[in-house]
Amino acid sequence: MKGRTDIVIGVQWGDEGKGRVVDVLAADAGVVVRYQGGANAGHTVVVDNEKYVFHLLPSGILYQGKSCVIGNGVVVDPDTLFEELDGLAARGKKTAKLVVSHAAHIVMPYHKIIDRLAEGARSEGTKIGTTGRGIGPCYADKYERIGIRAEDLVNPEVLRDKLTRTLKIKNDILTKIYGAEPLDFGEIYEKALAWGRRIEPMLGDAFLEIDEAVKSGGNVLFEGAQATLLDIDHGTYPFVTSSSPCAGGACTGSGFGPSRIDRVIGVAKAYCTRVGEGPFPTEENGEAGETLRQKGGEFGATTGRPRRCGWCDLVAVDYAVKVNGLDGIALTKLDVLDEFDEIKICTAYEIDGKIRKTFPSSCAELAKAKPVYETLPGWKCDISKCRSFDELPQAARDYVKYIEDKAETPVVLIGVGAGREDTIRRGL
Ligand code: GDP
Ligand code: IMO
Ligand code: MG
């Protein structure tokens, strides 16, 4: 008997509602795995009117008796991890078992400082608008092969040796490039040892946890953070994050082979948002954008920044279908469109006077893209109580069908509210 394995990833620029979709699907899963990113993520789950925001903990953590895994591809900020665990304990919540891969890299204090200094030093037009969580600098060290891994925190001698070498480089960068104060070795070393003492019981072979669960018939969910258009390779580079949120990242970031993946589910908002800098062809700076922001509560779950809002972009959805091999789309926040008389949806771009239906790999090209819209009628009623596709008003069903026709991919789940129960499942 083999369990089913699903990857759940973001289709757009993040914040599509991946956390809430994972929370719904986790009811049938044995293990939920985060495989990339770090505390730059903010995944919201609402259960019984109580709201939880997870930055590092997989969104299955609220299910006692199940397992949650932080894979090798994640960059872990232990302060945030422990804060999240303590926060749940303070709320009296029992949690799933947590396994952190030995090989996950640790976000060190200098990563966060350098992230913020580097962002501050970027000129207008080149700023990325990072979350300041040390993500880029931590992944840079991983690939430079000078990173500190979770396993190093519980090996004082190795930690001393690695930290001595790495901190020398970091202090050179801090003092000589940014004119900042150097960091004290003793302070960071002691902090890292304290992290090690707390994280030790959680360390494990993440890939084995997943392998054993699947072999014993349990379902596994791989929970992407960020999204396709923020992917270091496939996103709108350089306005991207430093990891691989796309489906392929689930395998490298957890140690699970691609032949064992059953389905890839892309989470897309019924409209579109972006936080931080970079091109966004369907962005609406006027009244429609403001209505989406207010009705959708579009303020960052990690940084509180107002999210940029606009219409759904089917050129981008089609791109996500192709680069991830999507089997299904989970369409969230359909209820946010309840009030609109008309809903626009982008079906092509006009770039330098030419119509183009495929997503350009060049960010400069994308920045020139003018959306070509189709306008569909709104439904002008509250859909938040609908629990089946047939209960939705005709115009809402037509909107969903329009997306699945154009994307040539079925919409397998629909969100009509933030709560766990505010969900229409269509074969997922
Ligand atoms: P994630 O990063 O992809 O997990 O998404 P976020 O949690 O950052 O942002 C999604 C926001 O939309 C959160 O505030 C969710 O509670 C909320 N949300 C998710 N699905 C729905 C939905 O179907 N309807 C409404 N109204 N809100 C939703
Ligand atoms: P979830 O998982 C939306 C954006 C940042 C910035 C860029 C790089 O909640 O969908 P980074 O700190 O990663 O170096 O920032 O990526 N970004 C996100 N935007 N949702 C996220 O996560 C994001 N994580 C990073 O705003 O533009
Ligand atoms: Mg988010």
Side-chain angles (χ1 to χ4, degrees), residues 247-259:
C251 295
T252 47
S254 67
F256 195 73
S259 63

Side-chain angles (χ1 to χ4, degrees), residues 20 45 52 90 94 107 110 126 155 173 179 205 226 296 322 332:
R20 73 75 53 108
V45 169
Y52 307 82
K94 297 266 191 318
V107 177
Y110 42 80
T126 66
N155 193 331
I173 293 172
D205 289 318
Q226 292 78 53
K322 293 187 166 77
T332 57

Side-chain angles (χ1 to χ4, degrees), residues 15-20 42-44 301 307 332-333 335 415-418:
D15 304 325
E16 297 90 348
K18 299 174 292 293
R20 73 75 53 108
H43 293 185
T44 315
R307 295 174 181 150
T332 57
K333 306 192 94 163
D335 56 299
V416 293

Side-chain angles (χ1 to χ4, degrees), residues 248 284 304 323:
E284 281 285 325
V323 297

Side-chain angles (χ1 to χ4, degrees), residues 48-71:
D48 298 332
N49 290 323
E50 270 199 73
K51 178 174 160 179
Y52 307 82
V53 179
F54 302 122
H55 302 289
L56 274 167
L57 291 174
S59 299
I61 197 74
L62 295 172
Y63 291 93
Q64 200 187 356
K66 301 186 189 256
S67 291
C68 280
V69 168
I70 293 182

Side-chain angles (χ1 to χ4, degrees), residues 32-160:
V32 182
V33 185
R34 272 281 307 269
Y35 58 86
Q36 47 68 235
N40 48 350
H43 293 185
T44 315
V45 169
V46 178
V47 187
D48 298 332
N49 290 323
E50 270 199 73
K51 178 174 160 179
Y52 307 82
V53 179
F54 302 122
H55 302 289
L56 274 167
L57 291 174
S59 299
I61 197 74
L62 295 172
Y63 291 93
Q64 200 187 356
K66 301 186 189 256
S67 291
C68 280
V69 168
I70 293 182
N72 56 278
V74 176
V75 289
V76 178
D77 176 346
D79 281 339
T80 306
L81 180 68
F82 302 148
E83 219 171 87
E84 287 189 37
L85 287 168
D86 292 345
L88 289 175
R91 290 166 77 170
K93 301 294 164 195
K94 297 266 191 318
T95 55
K97 171 186 158 193
L98 180 66
V99 177
V100 179
S101 166
H102 290 119
H105 278 247
I106 299 296
V107 177
M108 300 297 286
Y110 42 80
H111 291 138
K112 288 194 264 192
I113 295 171
I114 292 173
D115 190 1
R116 287 166 199 175
L117 288 170
E119 183 68 18
R122 288 184 190 113
S123 57
E124 270 323 300
T126 66
K127 285 192 188 300
I128 296 169
T130 74
T131 59
R133 300 298 166 106
I135 306 299
C138 185
Y139 278 114
D141 279 7
K142 171 175 174 170
Y143 289 99
E144 179 73 2
R145 288 147 296 170
I146 57 168
I148 308 284
R149 306 204 318 177
E151 62 195 3
D152 301 327
L153 299 179
V154 296
N155 193 331
E157 287 319 307
V158 172
L159 179 66
R160 176 182 291 282

Side-chain angles (χ1 to χ4, degrees), residues 243-282:
S243 68
S244 303
C246 278
C251 295
T252 47
S254 67
F256 195 73
S259 63
R260 304 175 76 190
I261 301 292
D262 293 317
R263 296 186 300 198
V264 184
I265 308 300
V267 185
K269 264 181 207 175
Y271 49 100
C272 197
T273 62
R274 173 163 207 173
V275 209
E277 307 300 323
F280 177 5
T282 61

